[in-house]
Amino acid sequence: MNMQSQIETAAALLRAGELVAFPTETVYGLGANACDDKAVANIYAAKGRPQFNPLITHVLDKTAAFEHGKYIPEAELLMDVFWPGPLTIILPRREDCKLSLLVSAGLDCIGLRAPNHPLAQNLLRACGLPLAAPSANRSGKISPTTAAHVKEELGDACMILDGGPCSVGIESTVLDMSGEAPIILRHGGVTQGQIEEILVRPLQDPRLRGDKEFKSPGMLESHYAPNASLRLNALHAEEGEVLLAFGNAQGALNLSKNGDLNEAAANLFAMLRTLDKKATRIAVMPIPMEGLGLAINDRLMRAAVR
Ligand code: TXA
Ligand code: MG
């Protein structure tokens, strides 16, 4: 089947309430019609995900986003700059919001994102639906960045559209704009600095807002866990460890020999997966805490918690 007819088949499945896995520029998503309660419930079932974790709804553009979420001028500003792209914006639900309450997991807000991957965009156009899609992994496992990873995670549970490896490789930044001041609930493909530059103000630190943490279980410590144990900020491998290197060093694998954080983000999940199959202990070299390094270190710290 060529890609166009695969997309049409996938669109028909989605309209019929089935699940379809599809590529985005960040990671692969497990998609369903976001307006269909049963379809959304099937996502939770397929992922083995706790019900309280809300899902991101994928749309084509800001017009579609503001059909579901309340209009906020600063949100539009960010959409104009970063969409399509790896930024999820949480907005209060509109009174007439048609999205399943399940995608909000009981909250009165919704996470919206316009993906920057041609296949995801073609699929959104073909089905004409907002698509709820968490990362296409079993709950608590590493996000998939290739179609083969999705198959490892979910088997034959759903159709998988293969768009090759994801270019960003780390999930979207989740920015909560439903409260008084915008806060980052999850670091990701768009950096805090990039957002602050557009909003022309510093963002609050979510750790100072303990009250809101329940909102994004993505903030839970142990989340992106491989089976192997992880030792972070390692300068070399100890006996029985494999080394995930960064920069000019010899390791079992190297996230980026040139010390390029974008390349490291794109490689992170696939390399963790590969090493997870090879060893029970992975040592990871230090990654600078700047730009995408924040998101990379965040995922590594979660993966290291057991
Ligand atoms: O890059 C990505 O964001 C990928 C691709 C497929 O778009 N999706 C993804 O989805 O990572 P997921 O479900 O694995 O992570 C979504 C994160 C979770 O931490 C969730 O708690 C948070 O976003 N989230 C989504 N909607 C929310 C809402 N209404 N309120 C608070 N947090 C929300
Ligand atoms: Mg996920």
Side-chain angles (χ1 to χ4, degrees), residues 256-270:
S256 170
K257 289 201 168 115
N258 302 324
D260 175 340
L261 290 168
N262 288 38
E263 187 186 9
N267 283 332
L268 179 67
F269 291 141

Side-chain angles (χ1 to χ4, degrees), residues 27-32 43-44 47 49 54-56 58 132-137:
V27 299
Y28 275 70
L30 178 61
I43 294 182
Y44 288 107
K47 280 188 60 102
R49 163 177 275 204
L55 306 175
I56 295 173
H58 296 70
S135 49
N137 48 282

Side-chain angles (χ1 to χ4, degrees), residues 22-30 47 49 52-58 86 88 90-91 103-105 107-113 115 133-137 143 170-174 176 178 185-186 214-219 223-224 299:
F22 63 93
T24 79
E25 76 281 25
T26 58
V27 299
Y28 275 70
L30 178 61
K47 280 188 60 102
R49 163 177 275 204
F52 52 75
N53 205 348
L55 306 175
I56 295 173
T57 297
H58 296 70
T88 296
I90 297 175
L91 298 174
V103 301
S104 297
L107 302 169
D108 50 11
C109 56
I110 44 167
L112 293 155
R113 171 167 115 77
S135 49
N137 48 282
S143 294
I170 205 156
E171 299 90 340
S172 62
T173 300
V174 178
D176 185 359
S178 69
L185 296 180
R186 179 177 76 183
F214 74 96
K215 256 198 163 181
S216 194
M219 294 178 80
H223 192 74
Y224 298 87
R299 302 307 186 277

Side-chain angles (χ1 to χ4, degrees), residues 173 184 187 190-197 202-205 294:
T173 300
I184 293 187
H187 289 283
V190 170
T191 66
Q192 177 162 343
Q194 288 176 297
I195 296 172
E196 287 173 337
E197 204 175 304
L203 293 178
Q204 282 187 14
D205 185 332
L294 248 75

